[in-house]
Amino acid sequence: RQVVENGVTGFLVPPHDAAALTSRIVELARSSDLRESMATAAVAKAAREFDQDAVIDLTLATYQRLLNDRGVSS
């Protein structure tokens, strides 16, 4: 749920709902345009939100904020 944007980068289906999963698989199998648009959106999201440098910067900023909140200087 944190990675997939339902209907944009993929589909989310309820757990243990075989009918919903089957329906989404059939929908994807029948539409090359849908597969292509979701793939393009997923690659863009991965580059935008999960770039290694961006994740490292976010992690370091979070650590710094936590240290600052506790009055610890780095």
Side-chain angles (χ1 to χ4, degrees):
R1 290 179 289 170
Q2 293 83 3
V3 176
V4 174
E5 294 176 57
N6 192 41
V8 178
T9 61
F11 288 122
L12 298 174
V13 296
H16 311 292
D17 188 340
L21 179 59
T22 300
S23 174
R24 292 305 192 179
I25 290 171
V26 168
E27 186 176 353
L28 286 167
R30 289 182 175 161
S31 177
S32 61
D33 289 342
L34 180 59
R35 291 191 309 273
E36 185 176 330
S37 69
M38 284 187 169
T40 300
V43 168
K45 180 180 176 74
R48 184 177 63 249
E49 297 182 19
F50 302 105
D51 172 74
Q52 180 177 348
D53 291 333
V55 171
I56 289 169
D57 290 344
L58 178 61
T59 301
L60 292 175
T62 301
Y63 289 158
Q64 187 63 54
R65 181 181 50 79
L66 292 171
L67 287 171
N68 292 342
D69 289 351
R70 287 164 179 73
V72 178
S73 62
S74 55

